[in-house]
Amino acid sequence: MERAKKGAASADVCVRRSICMGQIIDIYRDLLDEPDIAHSICKYIANSNCGLDYDFGSTVIPKGTKLYRIRTYNPDTDYSNPEEWKPAPTKPQNRCNSKGETALYLGSTETICVLETHIAPHSKYALGEYIVNEDITVGGFIYITPKESKWKIIVGTAYNAFLIAPKRNDNNNALFEVIDSHFADDDYGNIRLKTIMGKDNLELPFRFGKLFPSENYYDFTNMLTSILKKQNPEGIRYSSCFIPMETVGIECSEHNIVLYEAGLGKVQFNRFEIKENELPATPEGIAKLLLNLSDKDADKH
């Protein structure tokens, strides 16, 4: 009888352990068991650095794809020199690379390059065209199939939105006037699961841009992309913060590619052209469109 009781007690412990394990068996659901997105990202970074393997998938930039880069026009620069189109020699910190790390940032279209470089209307710029001469495998947070864990989809959507959020700076004043007028958030606590997976989740990058302090934003994105880079050393594809449309299940023609040293040999500078900015679109105009704001609505707040 005593043995039976001990056996029953042991079985009960096993069941309770199984239930507890069942709550965290999905490593992506565990990332959501945090008070806000900042704590969730910290857990992702810490767990990844301790060897836990998260995988948000990858995609291929096929051979023959054309990519673009814009530089502000300087009459003293010889743009026909291929050396002028290599990665920035000063290796400054940017969204997907730390200071001192080689990275080449390219856009999928001329339009996205114009928006990102803040070329003034009617100003000249040099447009460089690159050709992908061998398939390039790039990572990101959104290459998740519908059959995968719903928690993984939620995490990927949230982290992608955080990665592509606009960074507040002097060039973005007009954009952030629109963002600040639309959101009243002062912390991450209001961003719930239904917000991330709701019909308005395309607003998330703008919302994160308002909430996160710009002075250390790139430190966080660098930690995120350094983890992605371990699985995809050639590069990362991500949606532009000025047209932040691409997310899990949605592809956008306007996006960015960052190539690291492992991927640089698979793209070749092809040609350049001196052009003038006649683009009618602006970052703040696109934000108003995505946030369903009219000029009148924005002026109200």
Side-chain angles (χ1 to χ4, degrees):
M1 190 70 173
E2 188 64 25
R3 185 178 296 176
K5 286 181 180 179
K6 288 182 179 179
S10 177
D12 181 60
V13 170
C14 289
V15 168
R16 283 188 280 113
R17 283 179 179 170
S18 296
I19 292 172
C20 291
M21 288 181 66
Q23 292 175 348
I24 63 170
I25 195 69
D26 189 316
I27 60 175
Y28 301 95
R29 188 200 183 287
D30 182 50
L31 292 173
L32 295 168
D33 190 22
E34 293 297 322
D36 55 50
I37 183 69
H39 283 83
S40 177
I41 288 174
C42 286
K43 177 183 275 190
Y44 166 73
I45 293 168
N47 288 352
S48 296
N49 290 336
C50 288
L52 197 56
D53 187 22
Y54 300 94
D55 185 1
F56 294 94
S58 62
T59 189
V60 172
I61 309 301
K63 178 180 178 180
T65 300
K66 293 181 179 180
L67 299 170
Y68 302 91
R69 179 183 174 193
I70 277 180
R71 297 186 59 190
T72 303
Y73 178 69
N74 182 339
D76 297 325
T77 299
D78 180 11
Y79 294 106
S80 65
N81 181 359
E83 294 294 317
E84 294 291 339
W85 297 98
K86 289 186 176 181
T90 56
K91 301 181 181 181
Q93 182 187 34
N94 211 312
R95 185 175 300 265
C96 298
N97 73 288
S98 59
K99 183 174 176 56
E101 181 181 19
T102 300
L104 178 64
Y105 287 83
L106 302 172
S108 60
T109 67
E110 178 181 357
T111 296
I112 203 61
C113 293
V114 172
L115 291 172
E116 290 179 333
T117 47
H118 305 284
I119 302 295
H122 311 298
S123 296
K124 287 184 177 181
Y125 59 86
L127 175 70
E129 180 186 271
Y130 297 72
I131 302 291
V132 175
N133 52 33
E134 186 179 342
D135 287 357
I136 304 174
T137 300
V138 290
F141 284 113
I142 63 173
Y143 304 109
I144 305 165
T145 67
K147 294 181 180 179
E148 293 186 77
S149 160
K150 66 178 180 180
W151 308 114
K152 184 176 183 179
I153 291 172
I154 294 170
V155 171
T157 301
Y159 287 11
N160 175 67
F162 186 90
L163 174 65
I164 67 178
K167 179 183 178 183
R168 192 185 297 265
N169 56 44
D170 291 339
N171 290 327
N172 278 342
N173 285 335
L175 171 62
F176 273 92
E177 284 178 9
V178 174
I179 293 172
D180 291 340
S181 76
H182 186 64
F183 298 109
D185 292 332
D186 56 7
D187 62 54
Y188 295 103
N190 296 324
I191 300 176
R192 308 294 183 185
L193 293 185
K194 65 180 182 180
T195 307
I196 297 171
M197 298 309 295
K199 61 182 180 63
D200 295 327
N201 67 3
L202 291 180
E203 295 187 359
L204 273 176
F206 294 124
R207 200 168 174 183
F208 286 144
K210 173 182 171 62
L211 287 170
F212 205 84
S214 59
E215 60 268 17
N216 58 354
Y217 172 61
Y218 280 174
D219 292 339
F220 259 70
T221 61
N222 284 178
M223 287 187 281
L224 287 174
T225 53
S226 69
I227 296 168
L228 294 175
K229 182 183 174 184
K230 289 177 183 177
Q231 295 172 326
N232 300 279
E234 293 180 350
I236 294 168
R237 169 176 165 169
Y238 60 99
S239 188
S240 166
C241 65
F242 298 108
I243 309 181
M245 295 285 291
E246 195 161 68
T247 184
V248 179
I250 299 176
E251 289 190 11
C252 182
S253 61
E254 310 292 331
H255 58 264
N256 300 107
I257 304 291
V258 57
L259 297 179
Y260 302 113
E261 288 186 353
L264 288 174
K266 295 187 174 184
V267 69
Q268 181 178 354
F269 171 70
N270 185 41
R271 66 187 185 93
F272 79 97
E273 186 178 358
I274 305 300
K275 304 189 73 172
E276 188 173 301
N277 181 17
E278 302 293 345
L279 186 68
T282 62
E284 58 272 19
I286 292 168
K288 288 177 183 178
L289 182 65
L290 292 179
L291 296 173
N292 295 312
L293 288 174
S294 66
D295 290 333
K296 187 175 179 182
D297 292 329
D299 292 340
K300 262 185 209 175
H301 296 279

PDB file of all heavy atoms in Angstrom, residues 56-76:
ATOM      1  N   PHE A  56      14.010  32.247 -37.301  1.00  0.00           N
ATOM      2  CA  PHE A  56      12.899  32.933 -37.949  1.00  0.00           C
ATOM      3  C   PHE A  56      12.951  32.819 -39.472  1.00  0.00           C
ATOM      4  O   PHE A  56      12.237  33.518 -40.180  1.00  0.00           O
ATOM      5  CB  PHE A  56      12.878  34.407 -37.530  1.00  0.00           C
ATOM      6  CG  PHE A  56      12.575  34.597 -36.063  1.00  0.00           C
ATOM      7  CD1 PHE A  56      13.605  34.715 -35.137  1.00  0.00           C
ATOM      8  CD2 PHE A  56      11.266  34.636 -35.603  1.00  0.00           C
ATOM      9  CE1 PHE A  56      13.339  34.880 -33.782  1.00  0.00           C
ATOM     10  CE2 PHE A  56      10.981  34.802 -34.260  1.00  0.00           C
ATOM     11  CZ  PHE A  56      12.019  34.925 -33.343  1.00  0.00           C
ATOM     12  N   GLY A  57      13.810  31.928 -39.967  1.00  0.00           N
ATOM     13  CA  GLY A  57      13.833  31.629 -41.391  1.00  0.00           C
ATOM     14  C   GLY A  57      14.721  32.555 -42.205  1.00  0.00           C
ATOM     15  O   GLY A  57      15.402  33.434 -41.672  1.00  0.00           O
ATOM     16  N   SER A  58      14.701  32.345 -43.493  1.00  0.00           N
ATOM     17  CA  SER A  58      15.534  33.129 -44.420  1.00  0.00           C
ATOM     18  C   SER A  58      14.853  33.180 -45.775  1.00  0.00           C
ATOM     19  O   SER A  58      13.870  32.475 -46.027  1.00  0.00           O
ATOM     20  CB  SER A  58      16.928  32.507 -44.545  1.00  0.00           C
ATOM     21  OG  SER A  58      16.830  31.185 -45.084  1.00  0.00           O
ATOM     22  N   THR A  59      15.385  34.019 -46.639  1.00  0.00           N
ATOM     23  CA  THR A  59      14.894  34.099 -48.010  1.00  0.00           C
ATOM     24  C   THR A  59      16.101  34.273 -48.923  1.00  0.00           C
ATOM     25  O   THR A  59      17.227  34.484 -48.451  1.00  0.00           O
ATOM     26  CB  THR A  59      13.895  35.261 -48.178  1.00  0.00           C
ATOM     27  OG1 THR A  59      13.275  35.172 -49.463  1.00  0.00           O
ATOM     28  CG2 THR A  59      14.576  36.618 -48.059  1.00  0.00           C
ATOM     29  N   VAL A  60      15.879  34.199 -50.213  1.00  0.00           N
ATOM     30  CA  VAL A  60      16.977  34.282 -51.183  1.00  0.00           C
ATOM     31  C   VAL A  60      16.794  35.497 -52.083  1.00  0.00           C
ATOM     32  O   VAL A  60      15.699  35.742 -52.609  1.00  0.00           O
ATOM     33  CB  VAL A  60      17.054  32.995 -52.045  1.00  0.00           C
ATOM     34  CG1 VAL A  60      18.064  33.162 -53.178  1.00  0.00           C
ATOM     35  CG2 VAL A  60      17.425  31.799 -51.179  1.00  0.00           C
ATOM     36  N   ILE A  61      17.854  36.269 -52.216  1.00  0.00           N
ATOM     37  CA  ILE A  61      17.905  37.328 -53.227  1.00  0.00           C
ATOM     38  C   ILE A  61      18.504  36.676 -54.473  1.00  0.00           C
ATOM     39  O   ILE A  61      19.693  36.343 -54.502  1.00  0.00           O
ATOM     40  CB  ILE A  61      18.781  38.506 -52.772  1.00  0.00           C
ATOM     41  CG1 ILE A  61      18.379  38.984 -51.372  1.00  0.00           C
ATOM     42  CG2 ILE A  61      18.708  39.641 -53.779  1.00  0.00           C
ATOM     43  CD1 ILE A  61      16.948  39.436 -51.251  1.00  0.00           C
ATOM     44  N   PRO A  62      17.677  36.427 -55.486  1.00  0.00           N
ATOM     45  CA  PRO A  62      18.164  35.610 -56.617  1.00  0.00           C
ATOM     46  C   PRO A  62      19.177  36.317 -57.511  1.00  0.00           C
ATOM     47  O   PRO A  62      19.201  37.552 -57.610  1.00  0.00           O
ATOM     48  CB  PRO A  62      16.877  35.288 -57.385  1.00  0.00           C
ATOM     49  CG  PRO A  62      15.922  36.371 -57.022  1.00  0.00           C
ATOM     50  CD  PRO A  62      16.268  36.791 -55.632  1.00  0.00           C
ATOM     51  N   LYS A  63      19.990  35.517 -58.138  1.00  0.00           N
ATOM     52  CA  LYS A  63      20.955  35.998 -59.122  1.00  0.00           C
ATOM     53  C   LYS A  63      20.228  36.825 -60.185  1.00  0.00           C
ATOM     54  O   LYS A  63      19.160  36.444 -60.651  1.00  0.00           O
ATOM     55  CB  LYS A  63      21.654  34.803 -59.776  1.00  0.00           C
ATOM     56  CG  LYS A  63      22.664  35.181 -60.862  1.00  0.00           C
ATOM     57  CD  LYS A  63      23.305  33.929 -61.447  1.00  0.00           C
ATOM     58  CE  LYS A  63      24.281  34.297 -62.568  1.00  0.00           C
ATOM     59  NZ  LYS A  63      24.912  33.088 -63.149  1.00  0.00           N
ATOM     60  N   GLY A  64      20.798  37.958 -60.539  1.00  0.00           N
ATOM     61  CA  GLY A  64      20.203  38.833 -61.549  1.00  0.00           C
ATOM     62  C   GLY A  64      19.406  39.989 -60.959  1.00  0.00           C
ATOM     63  O   GLY A  64      19.050  40.931 -61.688  1.00  0.00           O
ATOM     64  N   THR A  65      19.137  39.943 -59.649  1.00  0.00           N
ATOM     65  CA  THR A  65      18.395  41.034 -59.003  1.00  0.00           C
ATOM     66  C   THR A  65      19.207  42.324 -59.048  1.00  0.00           C
ATOM     67  O   THR A  65      20.423  42.320 -58.858  1.00  0.00           O
ATOM     68  CB  THR A  65      18.092  40.680 -57.532  1.00  0.00           C
ATOM     69  OG1 THR A  65      17.301  39.498 -57.491  1.00  0.00           O
ATOM     70  CG2 THR A  65      17.348  41.808 -56.832  1.00  0.00           C
ATOM     71  N   LYS A  66      18.523  43.442 -59.295  1.00  0.00           N
ATOM     72  CA  LYS A  66      19.166  44.749 -59.257  1.00  0.00           C
ATOM     73  C   LYS A  66      18.868  45.419 -57.914  1.00  0.00           C
ATOM     74  O   LYS A  66      17.736  45.399 -57.438  1.00  0.00           O
ATOM     75  CB  LYS A  66      18.667  45.637 -60.394  1.00  0.00           C
ATOM     76  CG  LYS A  66      19.088  45.150 -61.772  1.00  0.00           C
ATOM     77  CD  LYS A  66      18.583  46.090 -62.867  1.00  0.00           C
ATOM     78  CE  LYS A  66      19.027  45.602 -64.246  1.00  0.00           C
ATOM     79  NZ  LYS A  66      18.538  46.507 -65.334  1.00  0.00           N
ATOM     80  N   LEU A  67      19.896  45.976 -57.305  1.00  0.00           N
ATOM     81  CA  LEU A  67      19.768  46.699 -56.050  1.00  0.00           C
ATOM     82  C   LEU A  67      20.390  48.082 -56.220  1.00  0.00           C
ATOM     83  O   LEU A  67      21.196  48.298 -57.143  1.00  0.00           O
ATOM     84  CB  LEU A  67      20.461  45.938 -54.921  1.00  0.00           C
ATOM     85  CG  LEU A  67      19.908  44.534 -54.625  1.00  0.00           C
ATOM     86  CD1 LEU A  67      20.821  43.782 -53.666  1.00  0.00           C
ATOM     87  CD2 LEU A  67      18.493  44.612 -54.061  1.00  0.00           C
ATOM     88  N   TYR A  68      20.035  48.997 -55.315  1.00  0.00           N
ATOM     89  CA  TYR A  68      20.398  50.395 -55.545  1.00  0.00           C
ATOM     90  C   TYR A  68      20.962  51.051 -54.295  1.00  0.00           C
ATOM     91  O   TYR A  68      20.688  50.652 -53.164  1.00  0.00           O
ATOM     92  CB  TYR A  68      19.174  51.178 -56.040  1.00  0.00           C
ATOM     93  CG  TYR A  68      18.586  50.596 -57.299  1.00  0.00           C
ATOM     94  CD1 TYR A  68      17.581  49.629 -57.236  1.00  0.00           C
ATOM     95  CD2 TYR A  68      19.063  50.977 -58.553  1.00  0.00           C
ATOM     96  CE1 TYR A  68      17.056  49.076 -58.392  1.00  0.00           C
ATOM     97  CE2 TYR A  68      18.537  50.416 -59.709  1.00  0.00           C
ATOM     98  CZ  TYR A  68      17.541  49.465 -59.632  1.00  0.00           C
ATOM     99  OH  TYR A  68      17.024  48.914 -60.770  1.00  0.00           O
ATOM    100  N   ARG A  69      21.722  52.114 -54.551  1.00  0.00           N
ATOM    101  CA  ARG A  69      22.293  52.918 -53.467  1.00  0.00           C
ATOM    102  C   ARG A  69      22.393  54.359 -53.952  1.00  0.00           C
ATOM    103  O   ARG A  69      22.711  54.610 -55.120  1.00  0.00           O
ATOM    104  CB  ARG A  69      23.676  52.379 -53.101  1.00  0.00           C
ATOM    105  CG  ARG A  69      24.400  53.128 -52.002  1.00  0.00           C
ATOM    106  CD  ARG A  69      25.784  52.517 -51.815  1.00  0.00           C
ATOM    107  NE  ARG A  69      26.606  53.257 -50.862  1.00  0.00           N
ATOM    108  CZ  ARG A  69      27.915  53.072 -50.732  1.00  0.00           C
ATOM    109  NH1 ARG A  69      28.541  52.176 -51.487  1.00  0.00           N
ATOM    110  NH2 ARG A  69      28.602  53.787 -49.846  1.00  0.00           N
ATOM    111  N   ILE A  70      22.109  55.287 -53.065  1.00  0.00           N
ATOM    112  CA  ILE A  70      22.165  56.707 -53.422  1.00  0.00           C
ATOM    113  C   ILE A  70      23.236  57.406 -52.600  1.00  0.00           C
ATOM    114  O   ILE A  70      23.396  57.129 -51.406  1.00  0.00           O
ATOM    115  CB  ILE A  70      20.793  57.383 -53.211  1.00  0.00           C
ATOM    116  CG1 ILE A  70      19.902  57.134 -54.434  1.00  0.00           C
ATOM    117  CG2 ILE A  70      20.939  58.876 -52.968  1.00  0.00           C
ATOM    118  CD1 ILE A  70      18.536  57.755 -54.323  1.00  0.00           C
ATOM    119  N   ARG A  71      23.946  58.317 -53.248  1.00  0.00           N
ATOM    120  CA  ARG A  71      24.892  59.179 -52.557  1.00  0.00           C
ATOM    121  C   ARG A  71      24.595  60.626 -52.926  1.00  0.00           C
ATOM    122  O   ARG A  71      24.237  60.931 -54.075  1.00  0.00           O
ATOM    123  CB  ARG A  71      26.329  58.821 -52.945  1.00  0.00           C
ATOM    124  CG  ARG A  71      26.718  57.410 -52.537  1.00  0.00           C
ATOM    125  CD  ARG A  71      28.184  57.139 -52.801  1.00  0.00           C
ATOM    126  NE  ARG A  71      29.022  58.089 -52.070  1.00  0.00           N
ATOM    127  CZ  ARG A  71      30.339  58.214 -52.273  1.00  0.00           C
ATOM    128  NH1 ARG A  71      30.948  57.437 -53.151  1.00  0.00           N
ATOM    129  NH2 ARG A  71      31.039  59.097 -51.586  1.00  0.00           N
ATOM    130  N   THR A  72      24.732  61.515 -51.952  1.00  0.00           N
ATOM    131  CA  THR A  72      24.542  62.942 -52.224  1.00  0.00           C
ATOM    132  C   THR A  72      25.563  63.385 -53.263  1.00  0.00           C
ATOM    133  O   THR A  72      26.744  63.031 -53.188  1.00  0.00           O
ATOM    134  CB  THR A  72      24.712  63.761 -50.933  1.00  0.00           C
ATOM    135  OG1 THR A  72      23.790  63.272 -49.956  1.00  0.00           O
ATOM    136  CG2 THR A  72      24.436  65.237 -51.190  1.00  0.00           C
ATOM    137  N   TYR A  73      25.127  64.176 -54.222  1.00  0.00           N
ATOM    138  CA  TYR A  73      26.001  64.561 -55.333  1.00  0.00           C
ATOM    139  C   TYR A  73      27.094  65.524 -54.878  1.00  0.00           C
ATOM    140  O   TYR A  73      26.847  66.501 -54.177  1.00  0.00           O
ATOM    141  CB  TYR A  73      25.188  65.210 -56.446  1.00  0.00           C
ATOM    142  CG  TYR A  73      26.038  65.667 -57.607  1.00  0.00           C
ATOM    143  CD1 TYR A  73      26.654  64.736 -58.443  1.00  0.00           C
ATOM    144  CD2 TYR A  73      26.253  67.026 -57.843  1.00  0.00           C
ATOM    145  CE1 TYR A  73      27.448  65.145 -59.505  1.00  0.00           C
ATOM    146  CE2 TYR A  73      27.043  67.454 -58.899  1.00  0.00           C
ATOM    147  CZ  TYR A  73      27.644  66.499 -59.727  1.00  0.00           C
ATOM    148  OH  TYR A  73      28.434  66.914 -60.768  1.00  0.00           O
ATOM    149  N   ASN A  74      28.310  65.204 -55.280  1.00  0.00           N
ATOM    150  CA  ASN A  74      29.472  66.067 -55.056  1.00  0.00           C
ATOM    151  C   ASN A  74      30.221  66.165 -56.376  1.00  0.00           C
ATOM    152  O   ASN A  74      30.700  65.148 -56.889  1.00  0.00           O
ATOM    153  CB  ASN A  74      30.372  65.471 -53.964  1.00  0.00           C
ATOM    154  CG  ASN A  74      31.562  66.350 -53.645  1.00  0.00           C
ATOM    155  OD1 ASN A  74      31.972  67.196 -54.439  1.00  0.00           O
ATOM    156  ND2 ASN A  74      32.139  66.153 -52.464  1.00  0.00           N
ATOM    157  N   PRO A  75      30.327  67.363 -56.958  1.00  0.00           N
ATOM    158  CA  PRO A  75      30.975  67.481 -58.277  1.00  0.00           C
ATOM    159  C   PRO A  75      32.440  67.059 -58.285  1.00  0.00           C
ATOM    160  O   PRO A  75      33.004  66.786 -59.358  1.00  0.00           O
ATOM    161  CB  PRO A  75      30.827  68.976 -58.610  1.00  0.00           C
ATOM    162  CG  PRO A  75      30.603  69.653 -57.292  1.00  0.00           C
ATOM    163  CD  PRO A  75      29.876  68.662 -56.445  1.00  0.00           C
ATOM    164  N   ASP A  76      33.054  66.975 -57.110  1.00  0.00           N
ATOM    165  CA  ASP A  76      34.474  66.596 -57.050  1.00  0.00           C
ATOM    166  C   ASP A  76      34.681  65.083 -56.912  1.00  0.00           C
ATOM    167  O   ASP A  76      35.824  64.615 -56.872  1.00  0.00           O
ATOM    168  CB  ASP A  76      35.143  67.302 -55.864  1.00  0.00           C
ATOM    169  CG  ASP A  76      35.141  68.816 -56.009  1.00  0.00           C
ATOM    170  OD1 ASP A  76      35.273  69.284 -57.159  1.00  0.00           O
ATOM    171  OD2 ASP A  76      34.988  69.511 -54.997  1.00  0.00           O
TER     172      ASP A  76
END
